[in-house]
Amino acid sequence: MITAPAKQSVPMLKMDNISKYYGGEETLAPLSLSINKGETVAVIGPSGAGKTTLLNILGTIVQPDRGQVLINGMSSKNLKPGRQLSRMVGVMHQQLDLIGQLSVINNVLAGRLGEWGLLRSLLSLIIPQEKALAVKALERVGIPEKLYQKTSRLSGGEQQRVAMARILVQQPQAILADEPISSLDPTRAVDILSMLVNFSRENGQTLVVSLHSVEYALQYFNRIIALRHGKIFFDRPANQVTREDMDQLFQIEEEANERCKPWPA
Ligand SMILES: Nc1ncnc2c1ncn2[C@@H]1O[C@H](COP(=O)(O)OP(=O)(O)OP(=O)(O)O)[C@@H](O)[C@H]1O
């Protein structure tokens, strides 16, 4: 009997030999990786390793100097900004990109801008469009009562929830979040991170998050991509990462130690 070959699914996110230079310095070395649909991935590494740059390239916010990014099998260069791109990837930046002067509902509905044309987007500032979507998303992140509040009056943790509600409303196939818990205390950090991971799992979305906390990376994510000096230091399932891997990843540079030696007498 002849059996059909197993159908290979297209990776959700793929980087082929990506390089990025800033001021002549190599920020990302030729780097390749592939992330499947529905994977939850933490990107970790020392400060300056290139985590934000990697996420920004995957999110098509920054263009690589060499190589190509494929999103759901399509070159990112061919994805049209607007509806097509917003259905594929949603990005949560460290700074959240909320407009403080606007009410929460308008910031949440900004997740729909990719779907709406210019006129509808402008109209929504006066008469919020698809209000039910915003209400539902705010209920899911636990702050439905903040619907009409001015966003700048919310606490840091509440603003983080607004940014999450905006992603829920956008419903991209892949969510890229850059240090989504950096400004939060440990209890709120756990709330936000578990919410993000649970929502993306429920919706079958791919999730890629950059994190400083190794502990949270190992606890919440299936796969860990570790960067060091713009290169992949290791890339493996979270349950196969060892203490030794982490020690090596974060070890202080020998040169840095040299620099810190006391002056000779
Ligand atoms: N727009 C830019 N212009 C110039 N240099 C940049 C730019 N963006 C990043 N870099 C440099 O690229 C390197 C990697 O930065 P990146 O922010 O990607 O690292 P990171 O791993 O996210 O760091 P952190 O954990 O501190 O946020 C750093 O040396 C940084 O100074």
Side-chain angles (χ1 to χ4, degrees):
M1 191 176 75
I2 301 170
T3 52
K7 207 174 163 190
Q8 287 238 313
S9 76
V10 177
M12 186 64 228
L13 300 163
K14 196 166 190 292
M15 280 181 146
D16 270 338
N17 281 312
I18 292 291
S19 310
K20 182 71 192 170
Y21 293 83
Y22 281 120
E25 296 281 320
E26 192 178 60
T27 297
L28 288 184
L31 184 152
S32 299
L33 57 84
S34 176
I35 296 175
N36 287 326
K37 290 172 187 161
E39 273 196 283
T40 56
V41 181
V43 180
I44 61 168
S47 196
K51 304 181 292 292
T52 299
T53 307
L54 184 140
L55 256 65
N56 282 341
I57 290 176
L58 281 175
T60 75
I61 294 156
V62 164
Q63 290 308 314
D65 292 313
R66 290 206 197 100
Q68 70 163 348
V69 175
L70 296 169
I71 300 178
N72 206 9
M74 284 180 75
S75 167
S76 61
K77 287 188 190 142
N78 298 333
L79 281 172
K80 293 193 197 85
R83 184 172 296 174
Q84 196 178 29
L85 186 60
S86 79
R87 284 182 181 180
M88 294 283 180
V89 281
V91 182
M92 279 175 75
H93 297 280
Q94 262 179 47
Q95 304 78 4
L96 302 180
D97 294 341
L98 300 172
I99 300 174
Q101 293 306 310
L102 290 182
S103 59
V104 166
I105 185 170
N106 283 313
N107 272 299
V108 174
L109 288 174
R112 299 295 290 161
L113 295 182
E115 291 289 320
W116 298 340
L118 179 64
L119 272 182
R120 194 165 186 198
S121 301
L122 291 174
L123 178 64
S124 184
L125 290 171
I126 306 158
I127 308 164
Q129 307 283 295
E130 301 188 80
K131 182 182 153 192
L133 274 181
V135 172
K136 199 168 158 213
L138 286 170
E139 276 168 1
R140 290 196 76 195
V141 300
I143 51 168
E145 73 286 359
K146 306 287 183 195
L147 190 65
Y148 291 113
Q149 274 218 2
K150 195 172 168 184
T151 307
S152 58
R153 300 227 174 98
L154 269 51
S155 70
E158 288 166 344
Q159 292 194 15
Q160 206 86 31
R161 283 167 195 261
V162 175
M164 191 125 59
R166 184 181 54 192
I167 282 279
L168 281 176
V169 155
Q170 182 183 338
Q171 285 201 331
Q173 290 188 42
I175 299 173
L176 310 173
D178 190 14
E179 269 298 330
I181 55 168
S182 57
S183 58
L184 303 177
D185 63 62
T187 313
R188 288 190 176 77
V190 165
D191 275 356
I192 293 291
L193 206 51
S194 50
M195 221 183 265
L196 192 56
V197 172
N198 289 338
F199 288 162
S200 58
R201 284 199 178 127
E202 279 167 24
N203 298 329
Q205 289 160 303
T206 307
L207 178 65
V208 186
V209 173
S210 78
L211 283 176
H212 278 123
S213 165
V214 166
E215 184 195 336
Y216 293 153
L218 294 174
Q219 191 178 341
Y220 289 98
F221 293 83
N222 296 132
R223 173 176 166 191
I224 311 286
I225 297 178
L227 289 186
R228 191 171 149 93
H229 299 319
K231 298 183 176 72
I232 294 183
F233 191 69
F234 63 79
D235 175 357
R236 60 182 70 136
N239 59 10
Q240 289 174 21
V241 174
T242 64
R243 164 64 71 90
E244 203 184 9
D245 288 332
M246 291 302 188
D247 287 348
Q248 282 175 5
L249 176 65
F250 289 102
Q251 78 182 354
I252 296 167
E253 306 292 316
E254 270 178 31
E255 315 93 72
N257 281 340
E258 287 290 322
R259 270 187 253 123
C260 294
K261 274 185 180 163
W263 288 103

